[in-house]
Amino acid sequence: MALNQVGLERLNTATTKKIGTNKNLIINGAMQVAQRGTSTVGLSSPGPAVVDRMYLNYSGTDDSPTFAQVDVASGTTPYTLGFRKSLKITNGNQTSGAGTSDTILIQHRLEGQDVAGSGWNYLSTSSNITLSFWVKSSVAQNFYFALISQSGTQKNFPMETGSLSADTWTKITKTIPGNSGITINNDNALGLYFEFMLFRGTDQTGSVNLNEWSTYSGSARTPDNTSTWYTTNDATWEITGLQLEVGSVATDFEHRSFAQELALCQRYFQTISRSSNANSVNGTFAAGTCNDNGSSGGILQVMVRFQTTMRAVPTMTQSGTFSHHVSGVNVADTTVAFSQAFIDGVKCTGTQTTFVSADGSAGELTSKYSDTSTAVIKAEAEL
């Protein structure tokens, strides 16, 4: 008797569960990596949501939500399946109730080239991808989420968790077919993103069919949201085990080592500290020279290579106290800048950055030096 397509996929995944690699298109789906810290309230919105590769968006709230990387309790499922961390959102106290434009949500974003080259024929209704994840809410209710394409005419595929039992981990699985109207560019820009809505007001929701593609509308992303969670003070919502794979079957989660996930995350964000830089000695991040830059005088240039090639030229920031160490003398780092353009032939790229200061004389040796052990350099190239 011939096997149907699903039967073949189940048969094939018997081996991929054991030896398959790189099937999960989601980076940091087990919420292991949190380079920016493990808990914070009042984060800039929209922006990164503590756990790497997750993004937040909230507005109209009376009290800001808290985003944190937390431990999955032992003895629970998903703990027994190898999950040790989750992303937890704790609601503030929304004393004025659910406003029509109020929002709390998180996203996961994927590069276009990673989707285009995944093996999913996104233009065909007979080709599928499958999303799976574990979710827990302190309030029993239904939540909506959606897959949205970014390029061309935006398309929206809204879904729901179904009614969740309070304080109970539930695994959600959704199979998503292709659609001839989807555009995904084969580049390093945003291709697709998932949006998990803890609450959206009625200005952003409306009449839309679940589990099918339609043209994206900012005023009808999903059906109207239940407001119980949003209007419950200090309500919580957690997610882990986020996996997206080609095919119509949800296979076992692809657990990657912490080192693997960290390296993947560093394509989008990385911190460089004295301890993380192999060239660091006694606080020195890297060494360079002072070049004669004509009318600008001596320009100190110190190059630091990134720990992995970044998605694009990053935005550079630093925190803590730094100096330039010039010919044995510390020079305050008050005029430091990050080179985003060519200066004496050196440019900030996806693999390196240069620190530039106007102090010094041509030919002097210089180094980028941190005066405090907690000083860090940050490079961000998020989608």
Side-chain angles (χ1 to χ4, degrees):
M1 182 173 65
L3 291 171
N4 61 26
Q5 181 63 33
V6 172
L8 285 170
E9 289 188 8
R10 290 190 185 279
L11 182 62
N12 290 335
T13 56
T15 52
T16 60
K17 287 181 181 181
K18 297 179 181 178
I19 63 174
T21 58
N22 300 320
K23 67 180 180 182
N24 189 3
L25 299 178
I26 301 294
I27 296 174
N28 202 29
M31 313 296 160
Q32 298 178 80
V33 181
Q35 295 184 82
R36 296 174 175 88
T38 57
S39 180
T40 189
V41 63
L43 284 169
S44 281
S45 176
V50 178
V51 171
D52 280 47
R53 306 302 302 124
M54 300 299 289
Y55 302 84
L56 62 87
N57 192 343
Y58 66 89
S59 62
T61 56
D62 300 312
D63 194 11
S64 297
T66 300
F67 297 82
Q69 181 198 51
V70 300
D71 293 333
V72 175
S74 63
T76 64
T77 305
Y79 183 94
T80 56
L81 299 175
F83 297 100
R84 296 296 182 265
K85 298 292 183 180
S86 67
L87 172 60
K88 182 177 183 178
I89 299 92
T90 302
N91 189 23
N93 298 336
Q94 312 308 340
T95 55
S96 64
T100 58
S101 60
D102 290 0
T103 300
I104 298 180
L105 60 86
I106 58 171
Q107 296 178 344
H108 184 91
R109 302 174 181 178
L110 296 95
E111 283 187 51
Q113 61 192 357
D114 292 339
V115 179
S118 67
W120 178 40
N121 183 4
Y122 54 86
L123 296 175
S124 171
T125 57
S126 61
S127 183
N128 301 294
I129 50 175
T130 297
L131 174 72
S132 56
F133 59 94
W134 288 88
V135 63
K136 182 174 73 168
S137 170
S138 64
V139 174
Q141 72 164 67
N142 179 46
F143 293 90
Y144 292 109
F145 57 102
L147 175 61
I148 301 165
S149 66
Q150 179 67 17
S151 302
T153 300
Q154 280 191 283
K155 296 294 182 180
N156 179 36
F157 192 92
M159 298 160 275
E160 63 182 349
T161 62
S163 184
L164 301 179
S165 299
D167 298 313
T168 302
W169 282 107
T170 302
K171 185 175 183 180
I172 306 299
T173 300
K174 297 290 182 180
T175 297
I176 303 165
N179 181 275
S180 60
I182 297 173
T183 299
I184 298 177
N185 295 328
N186 186 31
D187 58 23
N188 65 347
L190 178 60
L192 292 175
Y193 63 97
F194 284 98
E195 194 166 87
F196 300 89
M197 286 152 254
L198 283 64
F199 181 74
R200 272 195 185 276
T202 53
D203 283 354
Q204 309 161 70
T205 61
S207 178
V208 60
N209 293 329
L210 295 176
N211 303 312
E212 64 180 55
W213 289 102
S214 60
T215 299
Y216 175 83
S217 169
S219 60
R221 294 172 170 93
T222 68
D224 290 347
N225 290 195
T226 301
S227 62
T228 309
W229 185 93
Y230 185 69
T231 55
T232 300
N233 292 347
D234 304 319
T236 61
W237 193 93
E238 295 181 55
I239 187 170
T240 194
L242 187 61
Q243 178 157 287
L244 180 67
E245 56 192 306
V246 176
S248 58
V249 176
T251 65
D252 289 348
F253 185 83
E254 180 186 7
H255 287 280
R256 293 188 282 250
S257 71
F258 181 87
Q260 288 174 305
E261 292 289 12
L262 176 60
L264 292 170
C265 291
Q266 286 174 333
R267 176 170 170 79
Y268 305 92
F269 175 80
Q270 56 183 270
T271 61
I272 304 167
S273 64
R274 287 171 12 179
S275 60
S276 69
N277 188 342
N279 296 321
S280 175
V281 178
N282 297 326
T284 301
F285 277 77
T289 59
C290 184
N291 300 320
D292 187 354
N293 197 41
S295 61
S296 298
I299 300 295
L300 305 179
Q301 295 180 324
V302 180
M303 184 181 73
V304 174
R305 292 194 179 277
F306 300 131
Q307 295 158 84
T308 189
T309 300
M310 304 198 71
R311 181 189 66 85
V313 175
T315 299
M316 302 297 303
T317 58
Q318 65 183 41
S319 62
T321 305
F322 289 86
S323 295
H324 275 92
H325 199 70
V326 184
S327 296
V329 179
N330 275 355
V331 178
D333 209 3
T334 55
T335 57
V336 72
F338 293 97
S339 173
Q340 297 289 350
F342 283 102
I343 297 180
D344 291 343
V346 182
K347 184 182 181 183
C348 181
T349 68
T351 60
Q352 65 188 41
T353 189
T354 303
F355 305 95
V356 181
S357 176
D359 298 309
S361 301
E364 287 184 311
L365 295 177
T366 182
S367 62
K368 179 72 170 179
Y369 182 91
S370 69
D371 296 335
T372 58
S373 61
T374 57
V376 294
I377 301 160
K378 300 176 184 179
E380 183 166 317
E382 300 282 8
L383 287 164

